[in-house]
Amino acid sequence: DLVRSRGLGDVYKRQNIFCMVYIKNFSHHTLTHQGGIFMDPKKQFYETLATSMIEKFKKRQIDAYYCATKEEAVALATSMLPTQATVGFGGSMTLTESGMMAALQNKTDITLYDRSKAATPEETTAIYHQCLNADYYFMSSNAITSDGQLVNIDGNGNRVAALIYGPKEVIVMAGMNKVVKTVDEALDRVHNTATPANCIRLSKKTPCALTGTCADCLSPECICNQVVITRRSGIPGRIKVILIGEELGY
């Protein structure tokens, strides 16, 4: 009927307009179809999964939040910091890629314990210890299970040490790409996805840096030294998890 009443030219014109709108809105994570707006299926999946995870975190005495974008996540995390707070952080590509590190470094009303400013190994060690007494500690998690457990494997141990004990509050920021179903899947993700990439980034001479696959090594430069599974926060609300509807970090 449309072809008879308006001709093929009108059909092609309508299709072309739809394609242009579709492409324009896809970059904003929405799909537009004949006047109706629908969320990108992946973003909708992330939000649905995060909503269920927030309830599971709550049972583990962990406060959790969901932000669709990294910009929203940075704004939320920044709003949690009171004036004059002392702040530490663990090494994290998520913090860098999200813009959280830049936000912390540019925030003038806090004291940031930034080991990148250290001039000597001794100063670096001192900053590691300062971070353990910070009011707030920022980090990511190597993997997170859908039932609300944090799974981390660390080299030096400073990051997992702060997660376990020390800072008054810990803010964990993680992209939804790090969510898996079980602890076993989480450990596999850390060994075969996060660690090889980190070893390459840190120029470590490990088997996984050469092959991309975990060899369960005990090599001199192995960074899989501490394995920590956080199944619950002993202090209610001390750990805060911000789930982000984007792929961030390794």
Side-chain angles (χ1 to χ4, degrees):
D1 290 337
L2 180 63
V3 173
R4 292 195 190 97
S5 63
R6 299 190 179 183
L8 286 173
D10 287 330
V11 174
Y12 293 145
K13 184 177 180 181
R14 285 167 59 84
Q15 289 177 337
N16 187 44
I17 291 173
F18 166 71
C19 289
M20 291 173 66
V21 173
Y22 178 98
I23 292 170
K24 179 180 179 181
N25 285 285
F26 188 81
S27 65
H28 296 286
H29 309 296
T30 60
L31 306 182
T32 302
H33 181 263
Q34 295 183 349
I37 298 177
F38 304 93
M39 187 180 292
D40 173 4
K42 179 181 280 190
K43 300 292 284 189
Q44 187 171 359
F45 163 68
Y46 282 162
E47 184 173 327
T48 300
L49 177 58
T51 299
S52 68
M53 290 176 65
I54 288 170
E55 291 303 311
K56 292 168 183 175
F57 274 121
K58 186 176 180 180
K59 293 179 181 178
R60 299 178 184 276
Q61 301 195 133
I62 295 172
D63 293 342
Y65 311 81
Y66 176 73
C67 294
T69 68
K70 58 181 180 288
E71 291 81 10
E72 292 173 8
V74 170
L76 173 61
T78 302
S79 72
M80 295 178 178
L81 300 177
T83 301
Q84 305 304 318
T86 55
V87 180
F89 62 89
S92 166
M93 287 305 298
T94 296
L95 296 183
T96 299
E97 291 175 4
S98 67
M100 192 68 239
M101 277 309 308
L104 291 175
Q105 290 168 337
N106 291 328
K107 193 167 173 56
T108 58
D109 60 352
I110 63 170
T111 298
L112 181 64
Y113 299 139
D114 189 350
R115 66 177 182 270
S116 70
K117 307 297 184 183
T120 66
E122 291 75 20
E123 287 184 13
T124 299
T125 299
I127 292 173
Y128 277 145
H129 285 90
Q130 284 180 312
C131 287
L132 292 175
N133 289 316
D135 296 323
Y136 292 83
Y137 189 86
F138 280 79
M139 59 177 287
S140 187
S141 184
N142 296 134
I144 303 175
T145 66
S146 57
D147 66 351
Q149 299 184 74
L150 308 178
V151 178
N152 287 281
I153 297 181
D154 219 4
N156 292 328
N158 59 295
R159 185 172 59 100
V160 293
L163 173 62
I164 294 169
Y165 184 83
K168 292 178 183 177
E169 297 194 21
V170 178
I171 299 175
V172 179
M173 303 179 70
M176 290 298 290
N177 55 301
K178 294 188 175 184
V179 176
V180 297
K181 187 174 182 180
T182 67
V183 170
D184 285 341
E185 290 179 11
L187 290 169
D188 181 74
R189 184 191 187 283
V190 183
H191 284 302
N192 292 294
T193 300
T195 299
N198 275 313
C199 282
I200 292 171
R201 176 176 67 89
L202 298 170
S203 300
K204 297 293 185 180
K205 297 177 182 178
T206 59
C208 69
L210 297 175
T211 67
T213 303
C214 178
D216 194 24
C217 77
L218 295 173
S219 63
E221 297 191 10
C222 174
I223 64 172
C224 295
N225 298 324
Q226 290 85 25
V227 180
V228 173
I229 299 171
T230 305
R231 62 179 298 276
R232 182 176 180 272
S233 177
I235 301 173
R238 175 180 175 266
I239 299 174
K240 305 181 188 306
V241 175
I242 301 177
L243 299 169
I244 307 169
E246 298 187 31
E247 296 187 1
L248 296 165
Y250 298 148

